[in-house]
PDB file of all heavy atoms in Angstrom:
ATOM      1  N   VAL A  31      27.753 -36.082  22.070  1.00 98.00           N
ATOM      2  CA  VAL A  31      27.760 -34.808  22.739  1.00 98.00           C
ATOM      3  C   VAL A  31      27.473 -33.644  21.736  1.00 98.00           C
ATOM      4  O   VAL A  31      28.278 -33.402  20.862  1.00 98.00           O
ATOM      5  CB  VAL A  31      29.085 -34.504  23.368  1.00 98.00           C
ATOM      6  CG1 VAL A  31      29.157 -33.064  23.989  1.00 98.00           C
ATOM      7  CG2 VAL A  31      29.368 -35.428  24.517  1.00 98.00           C
ATOM      8  N   ALA A  33      26.912 -29.741  20.993  1.00 98.00           N
ATOM      9  CA  ALA A  33      27.057 -28.474  21.699  1.00 98.00           C
ATOM     10  C   ALA A  33      27.328 -27.437  20.600  1.00 98.00           C
ATOM     11  O   ALA A  33      27.972 -27.715  19.595  1.00 98.00           O
ATOM     12  CB  ALA A  33      28.318 -28.583  22.660  1.00 98.00           C
ATOM     13  N   ARG A  40      34.024 -30.480  22.206  1.00 98.00           N
ATOM     14  CA  ARG A  40      35.064 -31.452  21.930  1.00 98.00           C
ATOM     15  C   ARG A  40      35.693 -31.770  23.180  1.00 98.00           C
ATOM     16  O   ARG A  40      36.063 -32.889  23.400  1.00 98.00           O
ATOM     17  CB  ARG A  40      36.065 -30.904  20.902  1.00 98.00           C
ATOM     18  CG  ARG A  40      35.548 -30.736  19.526  1.00 98.00           C
ATOM     19  CD  ARG A  40      36.596 -30.606  18.500  1.00 98.00           C
ATOM     20  NE  ARG A  40      36.030 -30.555  17.169  1.00 98.00           N
ATOM     21  CZ  ARG A  40      35.704 -31.576  16.475  1.00 98.00           C
ATOM     22  NH1 ARG A  40      35.812 -32.827  16.886  1.00 98.00           N
ATOM     23  NH2 ARG A  40      35.192 -31.395  15.207  1.00 98.00           N
ATOM     24  N   GLN A  48      33.517 -40.005  24.121  1.00 98.00           N
ATOM     25  CA  GLN A  48      32.263 -40.155  23.121  1.00 98.00           C
ATOM     26  C   GLN A  48      32.409 -39.138  22.102  1.00 98.00           C
ATOM     27  O   GLN A  48      33.242 -38.259  22.113  1.00 98.00           O
ATOM     28  CB  GLN A  48      31.082 -39.916  24.029  1.00 98.00           C
ATOM     29  CG  GLN A  48      30.849 -40.794  25.166  1.00 98.00           C
ATOM     30  CD  GLN A  48      30.514 -42.232  24.688  1.00 98.00           C
ATOM     31  OE1 GLN A  48      29.796 -42.438  23.728  1.00 98.00           O
ATOM     32  NE2 GLN A  48      31.267 -43.154  25.301  1.00 98.00           N
ATOM     33  N   PRO A  90      18.476 -11.382  37.670  1.00 76.00           N
ATOM     34  CA  PRO A  90      17.384 -11.107  38.515  1.00 76.00           C
ATOM     35  C   PRO A  90      16.071 -11.536  37.805  1.00 76.00           C
ATOM     36  O   PRO A  90      16.121 -11.729  36.608  1.00 76.00           O
ATOM     37  CB  PRO A  90      17.480  -9.638  38.673  1.00 76.00           C
ATOM     38  CG  PRO A  90      18.026  -9.049  37.501  1.00 76.00           C
ATOM     39  CD  PRO A  90      19.119 -10.089  37.083  1.00 76.00           C
ATOM     40  N   VAL A 116      15.155 -29.421  16.165  1.00 98.00           N
ATOM     41  CA  VAL A 116      15.999 -30.757  16.386  1.00 98.00           C
ATOM     42  C   VAL A 116      15.166 -31.947  16.306  1.00 98.00           C
ATOM     43  O   VAL A 116      15.460 -32.906  15.598  1.00 98.00           O
ATOM     44  CB  VAL A 116      16.717 -30.588  17.789  1.00 98.00           C
ATOM     45  CG1 VAL A 116      17.477 -31.923  18.027  1.00 98.00           C
ATOM     46  CG2 VAL A 116      17.666 -29.581  17.896  1.00 98.00           C
ATOM     47  N   MET A 120      15.589 -35.007  13.491  1.00 98.00           N
ATOM     48  CA  MET A 120      16.212 -36.304  13.870  1.00 98.00           C
ATOM     49  C   MET A 120      15.152 -37.424  13.737  1.00 98.00           C
ATOM     50  O   MET A 120      15.372 -38.616  13.880  1.00 98.00           O
ATOM     51  CB  MET A 120      16.646 -36.175  15.442  1.00 98.00           C
ATOM     52  CG  MET A 120      17.779 -35.210  15.689  1.00 98.00           C
ATOM     53  SD  MET A 120      19.261 -35.543  14.674  1.00 98.00           S
ATOM     54  CE  MET A 120      20.147 -34.052  14.906  1.00 98.00           C
ATOM     55  N   SER A 127      15.103 -46.683  14.345  1.00 98.00           N
ATOM     56  CA  SER A 127      15.287 -47.400  15.497  1.00 98.00           C
ATOM     57  C   SER A 127      14.262 -48.454  15.784  1.00 98.00           C
ATOM     58  O   SER A 127      13.049 -48.166  15.555  1.00 98.00           O
ATOM     59  CB  SER A 127      15.488 -46.420  16.660  1.00 98.00           C
ATOM     60  OG  SER A 127      15.656 -47.213  17.914  1.00 98.00           O
ATOM     61  N   GLY A 130      12.779 -46.120  19.457  1.00 98.00           N
ATOM     62  CA  GLY A 130      13.236 -44.725  19.595  1.00 98.00           C
ATOM     63  C   GLY A 130      12.686 -44.086  20.882  1.00 98.00           C
ATOM     64  O   GLY A 130      11.666 -44.323  21.295  1.00 98.00           O
ATOM     65  N   LEU A 135      13.755 -32.107  28.382  1.00 97.00           N
ATOM     66  CA  LEU A 135      14.182 -31.758  29.805  1.00 97.00           C
ATOM     67  C   LEU A 135      13.264 -30.433  29.999  1.00 97.00           C
ATOM     68  O   LEU A 135      13.293 -29.460  29.467  1.00 97.00           O
ATOM     69  CB  LEU A 135      15.576 -31.322  29.809  1.00 97.00           C
ATOM     70  CG  LEU A 135      16.576 -32.387  30.331  1.00 97.00           C
ATOM     71  CD1 LEU A 135      16.176 -32.774  31.890  1.00 97.00           C
ATOM     72  CD2 LEU A 135      16.413 -33.538  29.531  1.00 97.00           C
ATOM     73  N   GLU A 207      24.431 -34.494  38.451  1.00 74.00           N
ATOM     74  CA  GLU A 207      24.231 -35.955  38.408  1.00 74.00           C
ATOM     75  C   GLU A 207      22.968 -36.482  38.850  1.00 74.00           C
ATOM     76  O   GLU A 207      22.414 -37.376  38.295  1.00 74.00           O
ATOM     77  CB  GLU A 207      25.445 -36.496  39.278  1.00 74.00           C
ATOM     78  CG  GLU A 207      25.566 -38.023  39.328  1.00 74.00           C
ATOM     79  CD  GLU A 207      26.744 -38.517  40.091  1.00 74.00           C
ATOM     80  OE1 GLU A 207      27.393 -37.683  40.798  1.00 74.00           O
ATOM     81  OE2 GLU A 207      26.910 -39.787  40.096  1.00 74.00           O
ATOM     82  N   VAL A 214      17.898 -40.157  32.131  1.00 97.00           N
ATOM     83  CA  VAL A 214      18.502 -41.413  31.640  1.00 97.00           C
ATOM     84  C   VAL A 214      17.476 -42.638  31.658  1.00 97.00           C
ATOM     85  O   VAL A 214      17.452 -43.447  30.825  1.00 97.00           O
ATOM     86  CB  VAL A 214      19.769 -41.803  32.459  1.00 97.00           C
ATOM     87  CG1 VAL A 214      20.312 -43.216  32.177  1.00 97.00           C
ATOM     88  CG2 VAL A 214      20.888 -40.746  32.138  1.00 97.00           C
TER      89      VAL A 214
END
Side-chain angles (χ1 to χ4, degrees):
V31 173
R40 288 193 183 281
Q48 297 296 312
V116 173
M120 302 300 164
S127 173
L135 269 289
E207 183 176 3
V214 171

